[in-house]
Amino acid sequence: MIRFDVVIIGGGLSGSSTALNLSKKGYSVLIIEKEKFQNYKACAGGMASSMQRFIPFDIEDSIESKIKNVEFRWKAADNVTADLTGESPFWIIKREKLDQSFLDESLNNGVQIMRPLLIEKIIKKYDKWEITCNNKIKYTSEFLVIADGSESKWAEYFDLGPRKPKFANTISLRLKGLGDIPRDSVRFEFGFIKYGFAWAFPLRESLNIGLGTFINNGLLENQVINKQVIRSFGFDDFPQKTITKKLRIWNGFHLINGDKVLAVGDAASLCDPFLAEGIRPSLISSFYAAEFIDQCLSGKVDNLNLYTKKINNIWGESMAWGRRIAQIFYRFPRTGYQLGVKRKTAPKRIAQILSGEMSYKDIAKRVIRRLITRSDT
Ligand SMILES: Cc1cc2nc3c(=O)[nH]c(=O)nc-3n(C[C@H](O)[C@H](O)[C@H](O)COP(=O)(O)OP(=O)(O)OC[C@H]3O[C@@H](n4cnc5c(N)ncnc54)[C@H](O)[C@@H]3O)c2cc1C
């Protein structure tokens, strides 16, 4: 039996950042990760630079592009471009690199990782978690963090997050070269994909391309359309090698903690249901997970309920509006594009959402105020 203060299931971004935050507070942490190694992560890597405040080390090395413009198009035409103001508020990072940096920092701080390792059973015994793995070793801990991502099986097991999780369907690929995407721009392509959109985010020498549907379980199997998307980004052929992934998205206010257990990142269903932004909620939830576990371990509070409350307040309230916007926008995308994206102030607002300066809640409040006062913002 090997003892830790906290065991974390999943060594992706949420798991390793929670581990780092906890180890910096002096706690012993074990990460259990099922994969031996991941050399490609299905993630376009778009991140608000303001998130640096949740990253306790320099990530300059992981930043591949600093974005100045956000371009929106309807079926490869009808362009709208938003200039991002301020000191490069939106970055494209290489996820594999960022995740690895978090892990390396954690290991330097004394965190242990077991990989590849599968958990067979988790029980609570004398108020401690007892985790049995397929190496037949038992690990015990005071607290448990569920960070096993979109396919989480442990979130359901502990009744964390929505009973019926909601998923976006995605395809992601990385192509050599930048096609016709400028190095300092990202592009959102609407109109080709029913119930969703496609995006192209530039790395140093390649392009992260993604296709996603966000409502009605829209499928992405139409090769003719997928080819059109690739062409719209300046490439000829849709490649053979792509990754399909179901991305768990925000689906209502739910408990994401139980007794001495909590979920972070995708496992907690925090990903933005409109634009698939999941790095920001992963970092925020990991930060507060460590804060509230620390409060419990140091005897300041006796449960983790404030964790759910905090995340619902600072993230969920915006996502509730994001979900409403997604329901309308992806149902009536042409109208949505004309009235939403092509509106004079819209590109700036979307850019502010991406850079973390504004939330969907702020946008909704403005629209409501505008409807009441009938003035233009
Ligand atoms: C195509 C695509 C593009 C995206 N683009 C962006 C973007 O540009 N910007 C953005 O902000 N977000 C983006 N996202 C969302 C973002 O990638 C996720 O929200 C983020 O990866 C969540 O991190 P996580 O650590 O919670 O989960 P993950 O990164 O999925 O990590 C989960 C970890 O748990 C491990 N694991 C799973 N099951 C077990 C188990 N039973 N036992 C042990 N370990 C286990 C996995 O191997 C993995 O290492 C995108 C997502 C997709 C699919």
Side-chain angles (χ1 to χ4, degrees):
M1 194 90 83
I2 308 175
R3 294 170 203 280
F4 293 88
D5 293 320
V6 184
V7 165
I8 298 175
I9 306 174
L13 181 64
S14 310
S16 52
S17 58
T18 309
L20 178 58
N21 292 329
L22 283 165
S23 64
K24 280 188 170 286
K25 293 176 187 298
Y27 296 112
S28 60
V29 181
L30 170 70
I31 298 174
I32 298 175
E33 166 60 52
K34 77 173 166 66
E35 301 291 340
K36 190 170 182 192
F37 185 67
Q38 276 178 315
N39 59 4
Y40 174 76
K41 197 101 194 184
C43 177
M47 183 182 99
S49 63
S50 57
M51 285 301 99
Q52 174 79 64
R53 74 174 186 275
F54 291 102
I55 306 177
F57 56 91
D58 183 12
I59 60 158
E60 196 60 33
D61 203 35
S62 307
I63 303 169
E64 299 261 323
S65 306
K66 296 190 173 180
I67 300 304
K68 294 208 173 77
N69 300 295
V70 183
E71 199 185 344
F72 304 92
R73 305 205 308 186
W74 178 269
K75 290 195 173 168
D78 216 0
N79 299 29
V80 175
T81 304
D83 294 333
L84 294 183
T85 50
E87 183 61 25
S88 41
F90 193 63
W91 294 337
I92 310 300
I93 50 109
K94 213 173 209 174
R95 262 300 296 280
E96 305 83 69
K97 246 187 186 169
L98 184 68
D99 290 18
Q100 191 58 48
S101 305
F102 263 106
L103 204 53
D104 291 344
E105 288 285 322
S106 306
L107 300 180
N108 288 341
N109 266 281
V111 170
Q112 293 186 40
I113 184 164
M114 297 294 296
R115 71 189 309 174
L117 190 61
L118 275 180
I119 294 169
E120 287 179 343
K121 196 168 78 177
I122 303 180
I123 55 164
K124 210 183 231 172
K125 212 169 170 184
Y126 309 117
D127 209 30
K128 292 192 192 318
W129 295 108
E130 192 178 285
I131 300 135
T132 311
C133 297
N134 63 352
N135 58 359
K136 300 300 166 211
I137 295 178
K138 280 185 181 159
Y139 304 94
T140 65
S141 70
E142 294 289 334
F143 285 84
L144 195 59
V145 173
I146 310 301
D148 53 352
S150 278
E151 286 162 36
S152 177
K153 76 173 204 192
W154 293 106
E156 268 99 331
Y157 181 82
F158 290 108
D159 220 359
L160 306 176
R163 278 256 157 85
K164 281 195 180 157
K166 205 163 175 206
F167 294 91
N169 291 321
T170 70
I171 293 181
S172 62
L173 45 138
R174 186 174 286 165
L175 294 182
K176 264 211 168 117
L178 298 185
D180 63 9
I181 309 292
R183 169 169 308 287
D184 57 1
S185 294
V186 290
R187 185 181 294 166
F188 292 87
E189 186 70 64
F190 294 97
F192 286 124
I193 293 167
K194 200 173 176 191
Y195 303 133
F197 69 103
W199 57 92
F201 287 10
L203 299 169
R204 263 175 220 138
E205 286 163 7
S206 51
L207 198 62
N208 274 342
I209 294 176
L211 292 73
T213 65
F214 293 79
I215 61 166
N216 293 3
N217 195 24
L219 297 175
L220 289 162
E221 283 153 6
N222 191 325
Q223 289 304 318
V224 178
I225 289 176
N226 293 353
K227 210 170 179 172
Q228 278 177 316
V229 171
I230 291 298
R231 287 210 172 119
S232 79
F233 294 139
F235 294 90
D236 287 336
D237 271 323
F238 198 78
Q240 300 294 320
K241 202 168 157 253
T242 58
I243 307 260
T244 57
K245 179 171 171 162
K246 279 190 169 295
L247 179 65
R248 197 181 281 235
I249 49 178
W250 194 88
N251 191 26
F253 295 97
H254 299 277
L255 268 183
I256 50 171
N257 77 281
D259 185 21
K260 294 188 145 194
V261 56
L262 56 75
V264 287
D266 283 1
S269 293
L270 296 179
C271 195
D272 175 349
F274 182 47
L275 292 177
E277 190 187 359
I279 295 175
R280 191 150 46 124
S282 292
L283 292 173
I284 294 174
S285 59
S286 304
F287 176 84
Y288 286 106
E291 289 298 304
F292 289 107
I293 289 175
D294 176 36
Q295 290 200 8
C296 287
L297 280 168
S298 57
K300 290 190 190 118
V301 295
D302 62 4
N303 64 58
L304 289 168
N305 296 346
L306 284 176
Y307 168 71
T308 294
K309 210 170 165 189
K310 183 83 186 177
I311 300 300
N312 278 342
N313 276 344
I314 61 173
W315 185 252
E317 287 190 8
S318 177
M319 291 306 108
W321 285 104
R323 187 175 63 168
R324 287 182 193 115
I325 293 169
Q327 290 287 346
I328 297 168
F329 190 94
Y330 295 127
R331 214 172 291 271
F332 309 104
R334 185 76 184 124
T335 315
Y337 193 80
Q338 288 303 326
L339 299 181
V341 178
K342 291 213 78 180
R343 215 191 131 67
K344 205 171 64 199
T345 52
K348 189 169 171 214
R349 300 283 172 252
I350 296 177
Q352 284 174 312
I353 295 255
L354 289 174
S355 64
E357 284 169 38
M358 260 202 161
S359 68
Y360 293 125
K361 193 179 164 193
D362 299 327
I363 302 266
K365 272 191 195 158
R366 274 173 184 269
V367 173
I368 291 166
R369 208 180 315 131
R370 196 168 61 232
L371 290 174
I372 293 169
T373 61
R374 288 178 172 270
S375 69
D376 211 322
T377 50

